[in-house]
Amino acid sequence: MEDDLSQQMGEFDTEDLPLAELRLQPPRGQGPHHETTSPSTSSTRARSCCSVELLCDRDVDMATRVQDLLEFLHEKQQELDLAGEQHRRHLEQCVQLRHLQAEVKQVLGWIRNGESMLNAGLITASSLQEAEQLQKEHEQFQHAIEKTHQSALQVQQKAEALLQANHYDMDTIRDCAEKVADHWQQLMLKMEDRLKLVNASVAFYKTSEQVCSVLESLEQEYKREEDWCGGADKLGPNCESDHVTPMISKHQEQKEAFLKACTLARRNADVFLKYLHRNSVNMPGMLSHVKAPETQVKNILNELLQRENRVLHFWTMRKRRLDQCQQYVVF
């Protein structure tokens, strides 16, 4: 009987889950515990099994011999109970392993679905409106994938609990936990790259629009002809004699400000293109979608450069007139 249990324990490593759960259930009509054999029954069985030996050994006292046999049966029963408990424990661990593997399979399927959704989504934007829409969609995706994250954490916790309980197949348990961790980490890296891409696209398009708008306003302002050389009769009785110097200082500050804004727009463009290329490499089949936003970024930068040069030209002309007015007012 004990040998049969040991043989079955080896078979359960590859046994299907329903069969393992079925064998954990007690037989019909019996409780979860073994039926206790009474001393009289054991004595009767002992006499039946050992009657020849008893008849052949007349020098041994019958009561002593029966007592020895009862102790022998009790010892064997304890060994059988221990083997049965080990078998039950092995069955339980087998069921736990199969449940863990089923959960791992499910979580890996969810992770693959998340990767598919990420790959299928549009990763390029050619305008601020498209970039903000991508940003909104990515936030929704992050909320949707949170359930998968919680499931992955639960698998990790269950695997750790089985390892702490000295499961008989620790290598498989570790493999399950590592597989989930690796796949989830890969998905997280792709999500982080996608988040950086959408944020960079929004930052570039928003900054470039704002800078172009400011440059257009400055260009119109610098084109206007104004007389800064007039005295109190034109500028009012409360004006200072050297009223041009503050205007020159403000004019210089404006130049520094719009040049910094142009530099920021170019830097945002570089960041946008960097994450655009990184995502296109990590996402299969996306290289063909990079050309359109690349062209759009180059066009915007060219327009920005042309506006910047025009503003610098008109800024220089106004600076020259302000310098001339300052010389006139002071001298």
Side-chain angles (χ1 to χ4, degrees), residues 89 93 160-170:
R89 178 58 181 161
Q93 291 187 343
E160 183 62 27
L162 292 179
L163 292 175
Q164 293 294 332
N166 295 321
H167 194 279
Y168 70 85
D169 195 351
M170 291 191 175

Side-chain angles (χ1 to χ4, degrees), residues 79-96:
E79 293 177 0
L80 185 59
D81 288 343
L82 178 60
E85 176 60 24
Q86 292 176 346
H87 182 64
R88 184 194 64 79
R89 178 58 181 161
H90 188 87
L91 269 178
E92 287 181 348
Q93 291 187 343
C94 178
V95 171
Q96 291 169 346

Side-chain angles (χ1 to χ4, degrees), residues 173-184:
I173 299 295
R174 292 191 186 96
D175 181 67
C176 288
E178 291 174 359
K179 188 177 296 184
V180 170
D182 290 343
H183 281 73
W184 177 254

Side-chain angles (χ1 to χ4, degrees), residues 34-50:
H34 295 290
E35 182 180 356
T36 304
T37 305
S38 65
S40 61
T41 305
S42 300
S43 176
T44 303
R45 292 178 179 174
R47 291 195 183 97
S48 175
C49 295
C50 306

Side-chain angles (χ1 to χ4, degrees), residues 209-263:
E209 282 190 5
Q210 293 173 346
V211 173
C212 286
S213 176
V214 169
L215 291 177
E216 183 178 3
S217 298
L218 288 175
E219 182 178 349
Q220 298 300 323
E221 177 184 345
Y222 294 159
K223 283 181 178 180
R224 289 197 300 267
E225 295 287 343
E226 298 183 28
D227 182 12
W228 301 289
C229 302
D233 56 331
K234 292 184 178 181
L235 300 177
N238 298 323
C239 69
E240 298 180 2
S241 58
D242 184 12
H243 60 277
V244 181
T245 300
M247 297 177 65
I248 294 177
S249 298
K250 181 181 178 181
H251 193 58
Q252 185 65 36
E253 291 174 357
Q254 283 183 333
K255 178 183 178 182
E256 295 175 357
F258 75 71
L259 288 179
K260 286 182 180 179
C262 292
T263 301

